[in-house]
Amino acid sequence: NRTTPIGTSDALRIEEPEEPKNPFASPLDSGIGHDKNLIFFYQPHFIMAFVAGAASLGWMAYYNNGSDSIQNIKLGVVGMCFAFLLYCSLPTPVPNSAFMRPHPVVWRVVTGASITYLLMLVFTLFQTAHDARVLFTHIDFGLVRAAALIGEAAGRPKNLPERSYAEQCQVYTGGKDCKLWANLAAGETPCFKNVQETLEDEFVLAHVLGWFAKALIVRHAGAAWINSVIFEFLEYSFQHWMPNFAECWWDHWVLDVAITNFLGIYCGHLFMSYFELKTYRWMRISEIKSTAGKVSRAFFQFSPQRWDSFSWHALESPRRLMAVLLLYFIILVADFNAFALKFILWVPPRNPLNVYRLLLMWLLGLMASREFYEYVVNRQVKRLGHHPWLAAMILITEVLVWLKFGLAEGQWSKPFPRVVVVGWGVAAVVFAGWFAHHFHVVPARLRSLASPRG
């Protein structure tokens, strides 16, 4: 569903160049001009580079278990150089994104910021948990409130008690004179105290905004909502490690899934529907006579130039389904990493670092999902792309950071509860059975019915 911008006249019409069949084409994609026995070495291998890079970083970081801070800093610098050179080895570094608004330079800066964040993560990976926490205590933006500061002071990290949301799960707590929504500061008695305290938590707004953002990444309301349901099961599975994941049943399924997550996804769906159906008429600012028109045109420079919907068709083929499940998995890892890093590095929930990290991953995710979608549905696209590679590399490095620090301190020593292991095992068996039936048994029956009888 693409529309061509239409001007008020032919003189004002701004024609867009036709999009090539492969919007991310590169001369290296085909290996033309090289010996047929050496084509392999001249073609892009994003997945191979990712596997090799992640394995190398993991091996180097876990091989280095020393407590010598100076040696760890040196190794961290070497690791940063390795990660940067690995990215530079990919074909056509820092390509133009498919996004053009408000200006292509904005998305290049996002790419640069993502590379910088990856290098910071790699450096942190080579430190001890204590040294990493000490390093983070020196990050002070000057405007951070005392409750959001990392540590007691610079160089003095402080462990943070994780809040559990499953201690008071009673829904109705009021008496005769209770109020539906009470002023707790004035001593009023609420009818639903536990529910009200949960709604006043900062994570409620974070749920709405977060799933609005993820809906724009997936570009499919149903897929985003399914992903939100899976994340609630993920919280059930890991609450024995992180108390912050422990919630009441009504918090999981009513406040999260049915209200806040649904509201964010629905707003994202309305946002996408508006821009998908909109008729775009872009005029040059210099051609607009009125001041109000110029201001309006400048404001809409920050809106999409056009909006393309994603049609994943997950049940069309096993490859499509695996691609959608991989996208689900990546989003779940990105969400889980936000909590795990905060937990293991002792970063307060209200510290701006959490917001900056989420904002950067969202902007990078917009570009990465666009390229990943083309890689899945467009047969002309033969390579994964820089932004999906960069996003995956950041996520796997984040996993290595919290996994290494947690193992060193015994944070992940508690075994998974039996109900969690059995539950996911049953889900895997059911999925495998459905997969075989849908993609093998049903097509075989259809072919046998369509074949002429002997």
Side-chain angles (χ1 to χ4, degrees), residues 24 44 46-47 50 326 368 371-376 381-390 392:
F24 314 111
F46 284 82
I47 299 178
F50 167 75
L326 177 61
E371 294 182 15
F372 180 72
Y373 176 76
E374 289 290 339
Y375 177 74
V376 172
V381 178
K382 304 298 183 182
R383 59 186 176 96
L384 183 60
H386 287 74
H387 297 111
W389 187 93
L390 185 58

Side-chain angles (χ1 to χ4, degrees), residues 25 82 162 167 212 224 240 248 296 320:
F82 169 78
E162 282 284 303
E167 296 176 353
F212 173 83
H240 65 291
C248 300
S296 177
R320 289 285 187 94

